[in-house]
Amino acid sequence: IVLLAVISLLPMRVFAKSDTPDIVFMTEEEAQYYAELYFSDDASLHSTGALSNTDLGIFESDGRIMVIYSTSASGEPSELGIKQIMLEEKDGFRWNVLAKYDKMSTTDSNIYTGGFYFLAPVSGRTYKASGIHFAVIDGREYTKYANTGGFIFP
């Protein structure tokens, strides 16, 4: 009973896309601009499979954290995008999920680019982004995991 009382007092964060605090999604144009600016051919995680390029980056921009993701496929996918994307903050030895979004995609292109800003990062804290890129080609789903590693906000 004591354990249940302690667990019930712990704060829980579960957010839907529209009610995540301090997250603002980029327009398509912004995401494409930053993807072209930050993801060079050398920085891309190239693949010889169905997913030709998968990029995920975390950057500082005007006192905010910027997360950008891009997925492209060789061939003609019926759907392409991010199966899941998360922004996490390190707290001691564990990572706390600040934002988590499922399945953002397109059905009319062989490239999908997107991004968002986290408006309330704390100086000196460590953040990371992780996600699963995906493409559906000829009825088969292809996936690739990506992780930015830790980024210490200045």
Side-chain angles (χ1 to χ4, degrees), residues 5 7 13 16 40 54 62 73 86 98 136:
I7 290 173
R13 293 186 191 182
S40 69
T54 54
D62 296 325
M86 289 193 310
L98 298 176
V136 178

PDB file of all heavy atoms in Angstrom, residues 5 7 13 16 40 54 62 73 86 98 136:
ATOM      1  N   ALA A   5       1.021   4.260  -2.848  1.00  0.00           N
ATOM      2  CA  ALA A   5       0.881   5.674  -2.495  1.00  0.00           C
ATOM      3  C   ALA A   5       2.039   6.484  -3.039  1.00  0.00           C
ATOM      4  O   ALA A   5       1.852   7.584  -3.573  1.00  0.00           O
ATOM      5  CB  ALA A   5       0.786   5.836  -0.976  1.00  0.00           C
ATOM      6  N   ILE A   7       3.994   5.691  -5.652  1.00  0.00           N
ATOM      7  CA  ILE A   7       3.899   5.723  -7.115  1.00  0.00           C
ATOM      8  C   ILE A   7       2.828   6.714  -7.563  1.00  0.00           C
ATOM      9  O   ILE A   7       3.009   7.451  -8.522  1.00  0.00           O
ATOM     10  CB  ILE A   7       3.613   4.309  -7.665  1.00  0.00           C
ATOM     11  CG1 ILE A   7       4.862   3.435  -7.473  1.00  0.00           C
ATOM     12  CG2 ILE A   7       3.229   4.358  -9.137  1.00  0.00           C
ATOM     13  CD1 ILE A   7       4.653   1.981  -7.820  1.00  0.00           C
ATOM     14  N   ARG A  13       3.906  12.380 -17.073  1.00  0.00           N
ATOM     15  CA  ARG A  13       3.685  13.244 -18.227  1.00  0.00           C
ATOM     16  C   ARG A  13       3.269  12.385 -19.406  1.00  0.00           C
ATOM     17  O   ARG A  13       4.051  11.586 -19.893  1.00  0.00           O
ATOM     18  CB  ARG A  13       4.968  13.979 -18.612  1.00  0.00           C
ATOM     19  CG  ARG A  13       5.432  14.976 -17.608  1.00  0.00           C
ATOM     20  CD  ARG A  13       6.608  15.711 -18.171  1.00  0.00           C
ATOM     21  NE  ARG A  13       7.258  16.490 -17.158  1.00  0.00           N
ATOM     22  CZ  ARG A  13       8.287  17.255 -17.389  1.00  0.00           C
ATOM     23  NH1 ARG A  13       8.791  17.359 -18.576  1.00  0.00           N
ATOM     24  NH2 ARG A  13       8.837  17.943 -16.410  1.00  0.00           N
ATOM     25  N   ALA A  16      -0.621  14.405 -25.683  1.00  0.00           N
ATOM     26  CA  ALA A  16      -1.033  14.248 -27.067  1.00  0.00           C
ATOM     27  C   ALA A  16      -0.335  15.347 -27.859  1.00  0.00           C
ATOM     28  O   ALA A  16       0.212  16.281 -27.283  1.00  0.00           O
ATOM     29  CB  ALA A  16      -2.545  14.393 -27.186  1.00  0.00           C
ATOM     30  N   SER A  40      24.153  17.672 -44.496  1.00  0.00           N
ATOM     31  CA  SER A  40      24.901  17.549 -45.743  1.00  0.00           C
ATOM     32  C   SER A  40      24.926  16.082 -46.128  1.00  0.00           C
ATOM     33  O   SER A  40      24.587  15.209 -45.341  1.00  0.00           O
ATOM     34  CB  SER A  40      26.328  18.068 -45.566  1.00  0.00           C
ATOM     35  OG  SER A  40      27.064  17.207 -44.727  1.00  0.00           O
ATOM     36  N   THR A  54      18.242   8.817 -43.985  1.00  0.00           N
ATOM     37  CA  THR A  54      17.507   9.066 -42.742  1.00  0.00           C
ATOM     38  C   THR A  54      18.356  10.006 -41.915  1.00  0.00           C
ATOM     39  O   THR A  54      19.508   9.718 -41.618  1.00  0.00           O
ATOM     40  CB  THR A  54      17.242   7.762 -41.963  1.00  0.00           C
ATOM     41  OG1 THR A  54      18.464   7.072 -41.749  1.00  0.00           O
ATOM     42  CG2 THR A  54      16.273   6.861 -42.713  1.00  0.00           C
ATOM     43  N   ASP A  62      18.401  30.264 -31.182  1.00  0.00           N
ATOM     44  CA  ASP A  62      17.788  31.417 -30.502  1.00  0.00           C
ATOM     45  C   ASP A  62      17.205  31.071 -29.132  1.00  0.00           C
ATOM     46  O   ASP A  62      16.074  31.429 -28.812  1.00  0.00           O
ATOM     47  CB  ASP A  62      16.695  32.041 -31.373  1.00  0.00           C
ATOM     48  CG  ASP A  62      17.244  32.613 -32.668  1.00  0.00           C
ATOM     49  OD1 ASP A  62      18.374  33.135 -32.642  1.00  0.00           O
ATOM     50  OD2 ASP A  62      16.540  32.532 -33.692  1.00  0.00           O
ATOM     51  N   ALA A  73      13.213   7.811 -49.551  1.00  0.00           N
ATOM     52  CA  ALA A  73      13.190   6.418 -49.987  1.00  0.00           C
ATOM     53  C   ALA A  73      13.619   6.309 -51.433  1.00  0.00           C
ATOM     54  O   ALA A  73      13.362   7.195 -52.245  1.00  0.00           O
ATOM     55  CB  ALA A  73      11.786   5.848 -49.826  1.00  0.00           C
ATOM     56  N   MET A  86      10.870  11.231 -30.347  1.00  0.00           N
ATOM     57  CA  MET A  86      10.849  11.615 -28.938  1.00  0.00           C
ATOM     58  C   MET A  86      11.945  12.632 -28.658  1.00  0.00           C
ATOM     59  O   MET A  86      13.033  12.545 -29.219  1.00  0.00           O
ATOM     60  CB  MET A  86      11.089  10.407 -28.029  1.00  0.00           C
ATOM     61  CG  MET A  86       9.958   9.439 -27.980  1.00  0.00           C
ATOM     62  SD  MET A  86      10.083   8.215 -26.646  1.00  0.00           S
ATOM     63  CE  MET A  86      11.716   7.563 -26.818  1.00  0.00           C
ATOM     64  N   LEU A  98      10.130  14.299 -22.742  1.00  0.00           N
ATOM     65  CA  LEU A  98       9.478  15.615 -22.738  1.00  0.00           C
ATOM     66  C   LEU A  98       8.358  15.673 -23.768  1.00  0.00           C
ATOM     67  O   LEU A  98       7.345  16.337 -23.550  1.00  0.00           O
ATOM     68  CB  LEU A  98      10.484  16.720 -23.032  1.00  0.00           C
ATOM     69  CG  LEU A  98      11.627  16.890 -22.033  1.00  0.00           C
ATOM     70  CD1 LEU A  98      12.587  17.958 -22.525  1.00  0.00           C
ATOM     71  CD2 LEU A  98      11.094  17.236 -20.665  1.00  0.00           C
ATOM     72  N   VAL A 136       6.802   2.579 -46.583  1.00  0.00           N
ATOM     73  CA  VAL A 136       6.032   1.431 -47.052  1.00  0.00           C
ATOM     74  C   VAL A 136       6.168   1.415 -48.570  1.00  0.00           C
ATOM     75  O   VAL A 136       5.751   2.360 -49.247  1.00  0.00           O
ATOM     76  CB  VAL A 136       4.550   1.513 -46.638  1.00  0.00           C
ATOM     77  CG1 VAL A 136       3.768   0.319 -47.197  1.00  0.00           C
ATOM     78  CG2 VAL A 136       4.420   1.586 -45.128  1.00  0.00           C
TER      79      VAL A 136
END
